[in-house]
Amino acid sequence: MNKPQSAILAVTYRCNSRCLPCDIWRKKSQKEIPPSVYRQLPSSLIDINLTGGEPFLRNDLPLIVKNLKKTCPGARIIINTNGLLPEKILSLSRKIKQIDPKIAIRVSLDGLEKTHDQIRGVKGSFQKALLTLEKLRKISIKDLGISFNLMEKNKNDLLSVFNLAKQRKLQFSLTTATSSTIFFGTHKEKLRPVKNKETESILRNLEKAYYQSCSPKNWLRGWFAHSLWKYLQEKKRPFACDAGGNFFYFDPQGKAYLCHLKNWYLGNLKEESFHKIWKRTNQYHQQAQKCQDCWMVCTIKTGSRQNFDKIIWQVLNGKIRSFFS
């Protein structure tokens, strides 16, 4: 049986945003597991995505990172934030950086000011997100970036936010609105961009900008932008999901699931070992491989490694195409 390499860990469901594509803020508050429980996760993890809710609402977030680094010393940890608490995020990030100098932080920015504030449901969200990015830059968070959730409502802002990230030398990651019975909420696909020429043109321009970069990492992002457009058209993944094979989802109460989109429950780490929990993945693994419900960077990392040869050929074709389009 494979040992998991990647994990999405929601450290809290508490949230100070009121976002359109996410209903986590509607969840009832429950007692969260203490940082010590994270020591029981497998040492095989090399990619850890800390999310919420808003992770920086947990005052013990540095201790969670400390325990994860003890358990998985080689793991790259990314923290996702809405950036609404610039001073608190700065204070906790200083402590986290002492524990993990390579910590990665992504601040959500779903459009320019008017669009972003409407989507986030909190006036002033845009300016606070920019202030958070500025403060994190000043304390030398090297792996710093913007994450953008693509919808019909904000698709015309995509290239502007991408250029903002480029001008400020920030990383830029892209996803699209997705439903989840245990996480985001249901019927979120309705928010996705309309499958028309306008959407195609926007994503093609993003793809082209990535492919014409000198960075191989950006070439892979160009491939992702290209594959995202195909996914929006066909709702068919380029390769099978690897949930339960190489990654899993872990909620704030200690419950482990195959992924963060489906109610494929595996067990609770407060009650039994991860080894016992992971043995149950077989009962869902075939369903996961047939699932076409998402195309997200956080759920395709391990699958991308397994299909790297195929992706490289597509990247090469994409680079050639970008210079002749």
Side-chain angles (χ1 to χ4, degrees):
M1 177 178 286
N2 288 347
K3 291 183 178 180
Q5 296 180 329
S6 181
I8 301 166
L9 312 179
V11 297
T12 183
Y13 282 152
R14 288 177 287 146
C15 194
N16 49 354
S17 279
R18 297 293 180 264
C19 304
L20 288 176
C22 176
D23 292 336
I24 289 173
W25 57 274
R26 297 180 187 273
K27 289 180 179 285
K28 291 182 180 179
S29 179
Q30 296 184 52
K31 188 176 180 180
E32 297 151 358
I33 56 171
S36 59
V37 176
Y38 292 94
R39 290 297 306 273
Q40 300 175 49
L41 291 173
S43 61
S44 57
L45 295 176
I46 58 175
D47 284 302
I48 299 174
N49 191 321
L50 294 186
T51 186
E54 171 50 48
F56 284 96
L57 287 175
R58 283 198 68 158
N59 295 325
D60 57 0
L61 186 60
L63 189 52
I64 292 173
V65 172
K66 184 176 182 178
N67 284 336
L68 287 170
K69 289 303 289 184
K70 283 182 178 178
T71 304
C72 318
R76 176 176 180 253
I77 299 176
I78 300 177
I79 305 175
N80 298 280
T81 177
N82 57 32
L84 280 176
L85 300 168
E87 294 300 334
K88 185 173 184 180
I89 292 169
L90 177 64
S91 175
L92 292 177
S93 294
R94 279 199 176 106
K95 296 176 183 177
I96 291 168
K97 186 172 180 284
Q98 291 178 342
I99 299 162
D100 182 5
K102 294 182 179 180
I103 193 70
I105 300 178
R106 297 292 179 267
V107 179
S108 296
L109 210 58
D110 292 331
L112 298 178
E113 187 162 11
K114 182 179 178 181
T115 307
H116 179 75
D117 284 5
Q118 287 177 348
I119 288 172
R120 291 280 148 178
V122 178
K123 191 174 181 179
S125 294
F126 181 82
Q127 291 299 331
K128 286 180 179 178
L130 291 185
L131 181 58
T132 294
L133 287 164
E134 182 183 324
K135 288 180 177 294
L136 293 174
R137 173 64 60 79
K138 285 182 178 178
I139 63 167
S140 299
I141 299 294
K142 304 294 185 186
D143 196 344
L144 183 61
I146 289 169
S147 56
F148 188 99
N149 194 350
L150 181 64
M151 293 166 272
E152 178 64 23
K153 190 175 182 66
N154 66 357
K155 69 181 184 184
N156 290 314
D157 284 5
L158 172 60
L159 295 174
S160 296
V161 177
F162 167 75
N163 286 324
L164 184 152
K166 187 176 178 181
Q167 289 161 9
R168 299 187 180 211
K169 297 182 180 179
L170 297 166
Q171 303 294 322
F172 183 81
S173 59
L174 179 65
T175 189
T176 192
T178 302
S179 293
S180 168
T181 55
I182 61 171
F183 198 57
F184 299 121
T186 56
H187 309 301
K188 299 303 179 182
E189 283 93 347
K190 293 179 180 179
L191 298 171
R192 287 177 176 175
V194 176
K195 297 175 285 186
N196 57 19
K197 290 291 184 182
E198 184 183 27
T199 303
E200 181 182 15
S201 176
I202 291 166
L203 285 170
R204 294 289 192 213
N205 283 327
L206 178 64
E207 174 192 351
K208 184 175 180 180
Y210 275 135
Y211 278 140
Q212 293 188 350
S213 160
C214 295
S215 165
K217 192 173 183 179
N218 279 340
W219 304 344
L220 292 171
R221 288 171 174 157
W223 166 82
F224 182 80
H226 179 78
S227 63
L228 179 60
W229 168 242
K230 288 191 71 175
Y231 175 76
L232 289 171
Q233 285 180 294
E234 304 167 6
K235 201 181 176 182
K236 186 177 180 182
R237 297 170 58 100
F239 47 79
C241 181
D242 199 29
N246 275 302
F247 81 88
F248 64 92
Y249 168 64
F250 191 62
D251 86 356
Q253 283 72 54
K255 297 175 184 176
Y257 296 82
L258 215 69
C259 78
H260 62 313
L261 303 182
K262 299 288 187 178
N263 193 13
W264 292 333
Y265 178 63
L266 299 174
N268 196 314
L269 202 55
K270 293 186 296 184
E271 300 165 0
E272 54 189 337
S273 70
F274 188 85
H275 180 69
K276 287 184 178 178
I277 289 171
W278 194 244
K279 282 184 175 180
R280 300 191 185 106
T281 58
N282 288 335
Q283 63 183 305
Y284 299 118
H285 194 45
Q286 286 187 340
Q287 290 172 262
Q289 289 187 312
K290 295 176 182 177
C291 183
Q292 305 291 336
D293 287 352
C294 84
W295 185 242
M296 310 169 78
V297 171
C298 60
T299 65
I300 69 168
K301 285 181 179 178
T302 55
S304 296
R305 295 185 191 108
Q306 293 165 2
N307 291 271
F308 193 67
D309 291 347
K310 179 181 176 182
I311 291 170
I312 286 299
W313 279 111
Q314 292 175 357
V315 166
L316 292 173
N317 287 331
K319 276 192 68 64
I320 293 169
R321 187 172 60 248
S322 73
F323 284 101
F324 289 97
S325 62

